[in-house]
Amino acid sequence: MGPLDAAPPVPEAGRPPAARGRIAACALLAAWTALLAAGVLEPRSPLAAAGLAALRSSSGLAALARGLLAWSALEALRFAPLGVLAVLALPERGRLRPWRGALAAAGLGTACALAALGIAGRSVPSPFAASLPAAGAVLGTAAGLAWRKGGRTRLLFLPGLAALAAAALLAAAGLLWLALEPGPRVAVPAPVTSSDKRAIVAAVRGKNPRRVPPGETRTLRLGARDLERLAAWGFAVRGGGRGTVALEGPGRASAAVSLQLPRTGGRWLNVAAAVSLAVVDGKVDLAIPSLQIGPWSVPSPVLRVLSAGLVGAAAADGRVHGVLRSIRMLRIDAEGVTLAYERVDLEGGLLSRVVWGEDQVGAVRDAVAPHVRHLLEVLPRSPRGDARF
């Protein structure tokens, strides 16, 4: 029997998928990218639900941290299919070396993730905004490669991933414990008197941005003492923390917070940050020169990425973006903060939701509404009294 009569080779296990399979994977990859660009399965940001009030207490910070952790996991997981489909869309290691194939699949998945972000936000995503989608694409690539290898690798992938996540959480918890200090760094603020509160209310009276006539501008000026009173007032509403704000000069301010964490033997988490901030015609110029958490200082490269991420997050949040568009100028100097703004056409209750959080505002509204209805019902039958009541 001659060589032409030889039997065809038997397909080996793990050979490259058929061309039709790769074409189908490419089509699914493009479809999932389009769905992500349309905002499908986008998790709800915990920052919108929490509000600024979460920063005043250890319990609020803990709830916010749990929400951010869950949101980060969901945000990464919705981009993970891109990595899996990228592995299936590329040839197996018969044509590409293993490490080259892994890099090519991770690169393709990450490129699709960035394309989806760019289409959804209509701009080039910042490094901070792209970090979780890129991590999800890389995670999906690892899952796709493990699935392609088959056998024991498939069985060990999820337990190994769970062990890696648990190790990361334990490391984060250990770092947090080491960052705790025996006492607060922020001194007990002076009590906010009734006259202090009346002065703050008088400073903002008549400055409602929703009532500014179209085409006109209003200016709000808060002095350094007013900001100190506001910080002390905010932390006095609920105990367990202290905070202070200081104006250091043109465009620069600093803030410090001390929170006593429960079940830590009375230990404190101390955070201090310096901020350079200015807003001109809705454009934010933000930099964080220093950030100290407990005894540790955050490195400058991390602060630059964090600053860019905060600006990107503000631009992506519809509520914040709408407010920023109305700001003509925000200027910080050693004596106070000056804010010039136009009319803000946003729905009512925006400030309450930003400060207290969407969930908390809804809970308060549901609790107060029956009492208000009862008062309105009995008011016509009540005897006339003091007109002020």
Side-chain angles (χ1 to χ4, degrees), residues 278-308:
V279 181
V280 178
D281 293 333
K283 296 181 179 179
V284 181
D285 183 9
L286 172 67
I288 304 177
S290 65
L291 175 61
Q292 186 168 2
I293 303 175
W296 300 324
S297 296
V298 179
S300 297
V302 177
L303 293 179
R304 286 194 292 269
V305 174
L306 178 61
S307 302

Side-chain angles (χ1 to χ4, degrees), residues 113-173:
L114 297 179
L117 285 179
I119 295 172
R122 298 181 181 179
S123 62
V124 178
S126 66
F128 186 83
S131 58
L132 287 176
V138 172
L139 176 63
T141 301
L145 293 174
W147 182 264
R148 174 171 281 179
K149 289 181 180 180
R152 188 178 180 183
T153 306
R154 292 182 183 177
L155 297 177
L156 295 179
F157 178 76
L158 287 180
L161 182 63
L164 182 63
L169 289 177
L170 287 175

Side-chain angles (χ1 to χ4, degrees), residues 43-50 54 58-76 132 169 359:
R44 182 191 183 194
S45 172
L47 297 177
S58 57
S59 59
L61 279 177
L64 181 59
R66 291 192 298 269
L68 284 174
L69 185 62
W71 174 82
S72 300
L74 292 175
E75 180 69 5
L132 287 176
L169 289 177
D359 295 338

Side-chain angles (χ1 to χ4, degrees), residues 12-384:
E12 300 175 358
R15 286 193 60 180
R20 287 182 297 179
R22 292 200 298 271
I23 293 174
C26 290
L28 291 174
L29 181 63
W32 193 259
T33 303
L35 289 175
L36 293 175
V40 174
L41 302 177
E42 185 173 358
R44 182 191 183 194
S45 172
L47 297 177
L52 297 177
L55 305 179
R56 298 179 306 145
S57 64
S58 57
S59 59
L61 279 177
L64 181 59
R66 291 192 298 269
L68 284 174
L69 185 62
W71 174 82
S72 300
L74 292 175
E75 180 69 5
L77 286 176
R78 74 187 183 108
F79 286 89
L82 295 178
V84 177
L85 294 172
V87 171
L88 299 179
L90 294 176
E92 295 188 46
R93 61 172 179 258
R95 297 182 183 179
L96 293 175
R97 293 184 179 180
W99 63 271
R100 289 183 179 178
L103 288 179
L108 178 58
T110 303
C112 291
L114 297 179
L117 285 179
I119 295 172
R122 298 181 181 179
S123 62
V124 178
S126 66
F128 186 83
S131 58
L132 287 176
V138 172
L139 176 63
T141 301
L145 293 174
W147 182 264
R148 174 171 281 179
K149 289 181 180 180
R152 188 178 180 183
T153 306
R154 292 182 183 177
L155 297 177
L156 295 179
F157 178 76
L158 287 180
L161 182 63
L164 182 63
L169 289 177
L170 287 175
L175 291 175
L176 176 61
W177 177 261
L178 293 176
L180 298 181
E181 296 178 304
R185 294 192 180 186
V186 178
V188 178
V192 182
T193 63
S194 297
S195 60
D196 292 334
K197 297 176 183 179
R198 286 195 296 269
I200 295 174
V201 173
V204 300
R205 181 177 289 121
K207 305 291 186 179
N208 190 337
R210 299 177 63 228
R211 297 180 180 177
V212 177
E216 296 187 11
T217 302
R218 294 289 184 270
T219 301
L220 174 63
R221 173 75 176 179
L222 292 176
R225 175 59 179 159
D226 295 328
L227 295 176
E228 294 176 2
R229 292 167 177 166
L230 277 174
W233 192 358
F235 279 93
V237 174
R238 184 191 299 177
R242 307 172 186 174
T244 182
V245 178
L247 304 179
E248 300 180 349
R252 290 180 62 91
S254 62
V257 175
S258 294
L259 297 174
Q260 189 174 25
L261 302 187
R263 295 186 293 275
T264 59
R267 299 177 68 83
W268 292 74
L269 175 63
N270 297 304
V271 180
V275 178
S276 175
L277 174 64
V279 181
V280 178
D281 293 333
K283 296 181 179 179
V284 181
D285 183 9
L286 172 67
I288 304 177
S290 65
L291 175 61
Q292 186 168 2
I293 303 175
W296 300 324
S297 296
V298 179
S300 297
V302 177
L303 293 179
R304 286 194 292 269
V305 174
L306 178 61
S307 302
L310 290 175
V311 174
D317 192 314
R319 306 171 308 166
V320 178
H321 182 66
V323 173
L324 286 176
R325 285 186 304 177
S326 70
I327 297 178
R328 301 277 63 84
M329 179 268 295
L330 187 149
R331 184 179 67 244
I332 299 174
D333 54 58
E335 288 75 31
V337 176
T338 303
L339 174 65
Y341 55 93
E342 296 178 346
R343 180 183 180 89
V344 180
D345 291 317
L346 294 174
E347 69 277 7
L350 173 66
L351 180 60
S352 299
R353 290 196 296 274
V354 171
V355 174
W356 300 105
E358 294 179 354
D359 295 338
Q360 186 68 21
V361 168
V364 172
R365 185 186 298 112
D366 294 340
V368 171
H371 300 283
V372 174
R373 287 195 297 267
H374 175 70
L375 288 175
L376 293 176
E377 290 173 358
V378 302
L379 186 60
R381 304 191 298 269
S382 301
R384 294 194 57 154

